[in-house]
């Protein structure tokens, strides 16, 4: 829908948007996410996720399409997707980044609640890209990574349908909001992992930032995301092997940005994905 038809949400006009033509995520689905709890709370999601959805096609393997960007070239998370890291030079850069991470044991989950990281998906977690643009974080992420976007009539925010090249499985997903769990927004470092590694002592504002930071968020295949739950890399990696080094880099980028330690097994696993 032409943007000239929109007369509300004036704050969005002040911001350069990452959107392409096309598609919104329903506000009603967002409300359901909040009410149902969990990290993002849709039925079937485990702890740290929420979503959009649809049917999938294709088989596992490297992500198709060419729009995805290597995490090494996307340090703020505003560019789409998670492209595989292939060259030896890139893997050496990846290992250098991961090697800087501090390790410690994972603390207790006692006291963790999704709400301590703010409601999903708030547009007011100021200090991270895309915040304060008049569109909730989930729709921002769907628009960032989706293609063939279609938005709800009268809106340039709420995504109704799209296609997604899922980095975790290598499948191309066809999504629409009537099947809101087939695509979920994954916290690369799950919120409960953040909590156990130090976020329990953070300010509320910092917890809201990590929960809504595009660097820490990827729209992905729902079942793959549900299988991850709140696991670190030693316990869960994307089914698509070509993207595992890129996933490890993104995990490291978030940990580094928020001064988070990772467990020693997680660090070893991350290095191994990049040839270490």
């Amino acid at each position: 829908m032409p943007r000239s038809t929109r007369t509300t949400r004036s704050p969005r006009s002040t911001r350069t948007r990452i959107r392409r033509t096309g598609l919104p995520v329903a506000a009603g689905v967002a409300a359901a996410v909040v009410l149902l709890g969990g990290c993002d709370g849709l039925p079937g999601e485990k702890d740290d996720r929420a979503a959009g959805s649809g049917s999938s096609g294709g088989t596992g393997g490297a992500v198709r399409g060419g729009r995805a960007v290597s995490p090494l070239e996307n340090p703020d998370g505003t560019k789409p997707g998670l492209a595989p890291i292939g060259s030896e030079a890139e893997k050496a850069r990846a290992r250098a980044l991961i090697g800087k991470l501090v390790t410690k044991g994972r603390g207790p989950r006692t006291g963790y609640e999704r709400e301590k990281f703010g409601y999903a998906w708030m547009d007011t977690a100021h200090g991270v890209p895309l915040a304060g643009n008049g569109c909730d974080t989930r729709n921002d992420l769907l628009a960032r990574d989706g293609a063939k976007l279609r938005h709800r009539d009268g809106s340039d925010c709420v995504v109704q349908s799209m296609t997604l090249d899922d980095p975790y499985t290598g499948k191309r997903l066809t999504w629409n909001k009537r099947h809101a769990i087939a695509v979920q927004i994954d916290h690369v470092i799950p919120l409960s992992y953040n909590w156990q590694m130090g976020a329990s002592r953070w300010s509320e504002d910092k917890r809201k930032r990590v929960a809504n930071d595009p660097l820490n968020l990827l729209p992905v295949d729902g079942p793959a995301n549900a299988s991850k739950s709140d696991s670190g890399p030693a316990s869960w990696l994307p089914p698509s092997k070509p993207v595992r080094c890129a996933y490890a880099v993104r995990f490291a980028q978030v940990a580094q940005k928020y001064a988070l330690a990772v467990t020693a097994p997680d660090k070893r696993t991350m290095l191994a994905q990049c040839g270490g």
Side-chain angles (χ1 to χ4, degrees), residues 31-109:
V33 168
V34 175
L35 291 172
L36 288 167
C39 175
D40 305 310
L42 289 177
E45 293 180 340
K46 291 188 178 180
D47 190 50
D48 283 274
R49 51 238 71 175
S53 88
S55 62
S56 64
T59 57
V63 173
R64 301 171 297 178
R67 288 185 58 255
V69 176
S70 164
L72 293 170
E73 309 306 326
N74 187 20
D76 64 359
T78 58
K79 297 175 184 177
L82 192 67
I85 292 172
S87 75
E88 289 306 313
E90 288 176 322
K91 288 182 178 179
R93 289 176 60 193
R95 292 192 299 271
L97 174 66
I98 296 166
K100 295 176 182 177
L101 297 178
V102 174
T103 61
K104 73 173 188 178
R106 195 162 171 171
R109 202 171 184 269

Side-chain angles (χ1 to χ4, degrees), residues 45 49-57 162 164-175 181-186 218-228 236 239:
E45 293 180 340
R49 51 238 71 175
S53 88
S55 62
S56 64
M162 67 178 187
L164 176 72
D165 287 328
D166 170 42
Y168 285 1
T169 64
K171 297 177 182 178
R172 178 161 292 168
L173 309 178
T174 300
W175 174 91
I181 201 169
V183 169
Q184 300 177 10
I185 308 297
D186 180 42
L218 288 171
V220 299
D221 175 71
N225 188 51
S227 72
K228 173 182 171 179
W236 186 92

Side-chain angles (χ1 to χ4, degrees), residues 159-244:
V159 179
Q160 292 286 91
S161 64
M162 67 178 187
T163 63
L164 176 72
D165 287 328
D166 170 42
Y168 285 1
T169 64
K171 297 177 182 178
R172 178 161 292 168
L173 309 178
T174 300
W175 174 91
N176 69 70
K177 72 181 186 67
R178 291 190 300 273
H179 306 283
I181 201 169
V183 169
Q184 300 177 10
I185 308 297
D186 180 42
H187 285 100
V188 176
I189 299 187
L191 298 187
S192 61
Y193 189 106
N194 280 269
W195 182 265
Q196 292 173 278
M197 301 304 284
S200 60
R201 298 184 295 277
W202 292 356
S203 68
E204 183 179 1
D205 284 345
K206 186 174 180 180
R207 288 198 293 263
K208 289 177 180 177
R209 289 196 298 274
V210 77
N212 291 276
D213 191 336
L215 185 66
N216 193 30
L217 297 169
L218 288 171
V220 299
D221 175 71
N225 188 51
S227 72
K228 173 182 171 179
S229 188
D230 64 350
S231 300
S235 300
W236 186 92
L237 289 166
S240 177
K241 291 182 180 180
V243 83
R244 288 179 177 179

